[in-house]
Amino acid sequence: MKKYCLLLLISISIFYKGFAEEGMWLPQLLQSLNEKEMKRMGMKINAADIYNISKGSLKDAIVSFGGFCTAEVISDKGLLLSNHHCGFDAIQNHSSIQNNYIRDGFWAYNHEQELKNPSLFATFIIRIDDITAAIFNGITNILTEKERQSAIDKNIAALKTSVKKESYQDLLIRPFFDGNKYFLFVTETYRDIRLVGAPPSSIGNFGKDTDNWMWPRHTGDFSMFRIYADKNNKPAAYSADNVPYKPKRALHISLDGVKEGDFTMVFGFPGRTNEYLHSSAIEQTVNVSDPAKIAIRTKALQVIDGFMRKDEVIKIQYAAKYASISNAWKKWQGEILGLTKTNAVAKRKEQEDSFEKIVLSKPELNMAYMDLLKNLKQAYTDIEPYAYARDYYNEIIPKVELWGISADMNSLLTAYSKDEETYIKRKAEVLNKLEDSFKEYNVAVDQKLFESLMDLYCKDQQADYISPAFKAILIEKGNSFTALSESVYSQTAFNSFDKIKKMLNGSMAEAVAAIKADVAGQLYTDIFKTYVTNVSPTLNSLQIDINRLQRTYMQAQMDAFTQKTFYPDANSTLRVTYGNVKNYQPRDGVKYEFQSYMDGVMEKYLPGDYEFDLPKKMIDLYNKKDFGRWGVNGRQPVCFIAANHTTGGNSGSPALDAYGNLVGLNFDRVWEGTMSDINYDASICRNIMVDIRYVMFIVDKFAEAKNLIAEIKFVSKK
Ligand code: ARG
Ligand code: ASP
């Protein structure tokens, strides 16, 4: 009996734990859904300190950074903190041979030195309202999906005109729970965002692709910006007259660090998760789509890496492309590993069995959801070949840049068919865009990518998804991809910016005739046509079907598992996730500590290496143990992990302690746990944060930006 009780206790606590750390919660619902549990897990503040619309709360310090990352306000003068990889575009745009901020870093020692970034913005969330009832007004079950969507669109449009907001505010309406709920966000977007500081890449991206998605980690992945506002502290386009923004709330920085078991929460804008899928969708991810995408990227990376290793110029040109291809490539491998290791499919099937049992036991559920699981499974079976073709197309075609250039050039033909004015406007746009892309283009690399990736396009796909024109020309070349690529790249003018400029310089009629006659343009037209004729229509209609079934299944799960509190999948809206600082065991016999130190940076240091080099000053500071107030017991903390449920978009999110003070800066997850997007499992899912004391050490001791340290408020409970 005792043993049984103990077992029961363990299984309850496992269930309880799993639930406790999983979830990306809506800030306005924390009070009703999560506050009790958050306090049980160690939080010392109230939900109203996190989200409050009548006075400044933590949410007023959090912004969506450029729509792809998160950032937080850390001073009363609008100082923003985000990741180095989030600010990278801005850092790159200001870099030149003379001022190589990517390599050397950048620091503004006064406001005048701060650099403007025309396309960057920071969006605050002012208020979140449940508008489900208004959106579903007049929606019935007899509507087709198309009718339903257009009725919803009408309701959205009507609501947008009736909701009260200030002239400088915007409204954002988003579906949640696969379209079962709708929330409205009142937002304020600031568009004068200036670069304040960034460490050299050898700190901000220390360990690059080798360490990416890995623990233990030693990266100082941060950069700093500042929000500028007009004289009334309101959003305004860039102007030299703008002034530093005065926030409703700025985060305070804790000097205390974290210890095992400490409560942490991450507040930010997670991009996309799929936590409520049918087991067959997970099975497809593990067995079909992830492996296909990985195989394509493996080939692409091999090609690019081969060139980068031999050529300094190509190394710089392709560094960003390589990093972005490799980022998802590595993540998907971790995803397969984690899903397999945690038996995600089998567990999901068990859950489906319980669902079926509950549905069968309740007549009203049985009526509504009788064949739901069967239909979902069938829908995933039906979509599989089309989804595979989509993955192939999306993974292969954009990686052969000749096809992207062809698309741009062909767009001139469409413009020409309208009128001269459209053509001239489009020509300027195309030239502008291509001038940029050719800076990071090498013909030999692209030709080799064509050769190896188009091979996959032809070999691994169902016959009617392959372009007939492409097949025909391949046969002409004796089925040799080498011969074909040589022929295409020697004939086309689309692989050289000079040739393109020359082509477009002549009369409009001549230019149009030359574009029409180009072999790359012709092949691309047929590749595109084959896809939009033979794949897209069926794919789209099957996808609409799956979306409808998934929406029903989401509601069905909430109706069946009434004991469970559900959180909506991530959709780039503001969320809170909370958990505890925790080590983990990636595999048998191996245990990872939760904290890394600068000793580890030095262990990895490889002079002159592309990924593991360090600035000399960092080494000197380390040797002198000159950590200032940012070190503990003669050691400098660098990164730490916790069980917070995060995803892409959470980069740059603040990690807050029990009191709501900043202790870390989120930037990654551990490899074994990247499957948290589909199946969060507290045993191996960990988010990775830069310890805020490492950030401050670099600002203070490395950059000596005392001006920045002076505007931040530090706190300590010790
Ligand atoms: N893996 C992280 C994320 O998905 C960091 C990526 C940036 N770092 C890199 N080495 N590519 O975005
Ligand atoms: N590195 C990711 C980001 O850029 C975060 C993650 O996927 O965990 O948002």
Side-chain angles (χ1 to χ4, degrees), residues 85 205 208-209 212-213 217 221 323 327 651 667-668:
H85 77 267
N205 194 9
K208 295 213 170 66
D209 297 313
N212 193 20
W213 299 115
R217 192 65 156 276
D221 195 346
N327 193 37
S651 273
F667 72 105
D668 210 1

Side-chain angles (χ1 to χ4, degrees), residues 129-137 155 179-184:
D129 294 334
D130 188 341
I131 49 158
T132 311
I135 295 298
F136 287 161
N137 186 16
N155 288 343
N180 286 293
K181 261 192 178 306
Y182 280 79
F183 289 101
L184 170 123

